[in-house]
Amino acid sequence: MDLIHPLVQAYAEKYTSPEDELLLQVNQQTQVHPQAHMLSGHVQGKLLELLSMLIKPRRILEIGSFTGYSALCLAKGLVPDGLLHTIELRPEDAAVAGRNFNLSDAKDKIILHTGNALEIIPSLAEEWDVVFIDADKSGYIDYYKMVLPNLKKGGVILADNVLFHGEVLEDTIKGKSAKAIQAFNEYVQQDESVEKALLTVRDGLMLIVKK
């Protein structure tokens, strides 16, 4: 599945700083996964890394770890006493992510949770600087509502797949996930407590900043 034109992707990667050795390894290993397309990948991963380095967050929440690539990118911007909490529903993927985290210099800053995010998030007594939502699309609005009260003023929510393979552009949106993403995009658009920009990076990335 090509989320963007292969020539555009190759051109973007050429002019994007390269992945470090661990990220390249995680990227390559994930390509054999049945859902390899869920990986953030080189260009979006570097964007996550650079945004995190600019923000210098103390607390990051990631909803949807997959194989750990995006968490490794986001962790690079953490301040010295910073922590990143990441939640993965599927035990198999969580195990892979955990192994990848253990190979990272940031392993002591990454806390991996396995289970239902809607049950885990309320147990985390934190104020978030950055939240990355990249899990089941039907849960996006619930995740957003749950994390927004504990997002600091000026804090950032990043929501992935907000173009959902282009399905949100169809005259009649048919798929369950595409419908959920369209509902999320409309919900955020109408939320006057945040500023937002929908970025056409990879499968769409919504940048949301709390006023």
Side-chain angles (χ1 to χ4, degrees), residues 182-201:
Q182 181 63 24
F184 171 77
N185 292 342
E186 292 177 356
Y187 186 89
V188 174
Q189 181 189 36
Q190 295 168 16
D191 186 353
E192 296 183 355
S193 73
V194 298
E195 298 284 358
K196 71 284 290 187
L198 197 159
L199 308 178
T200 54
V201 177

Side-chain angles (χ1 to χ4, degrees), residues 67-82:
T67 57
Y69 189 97
S70 51
L72 291 169
C73 294
L74 288 165
K76 293 190 178 188
L78 285 168
V79 295
D81 66 339

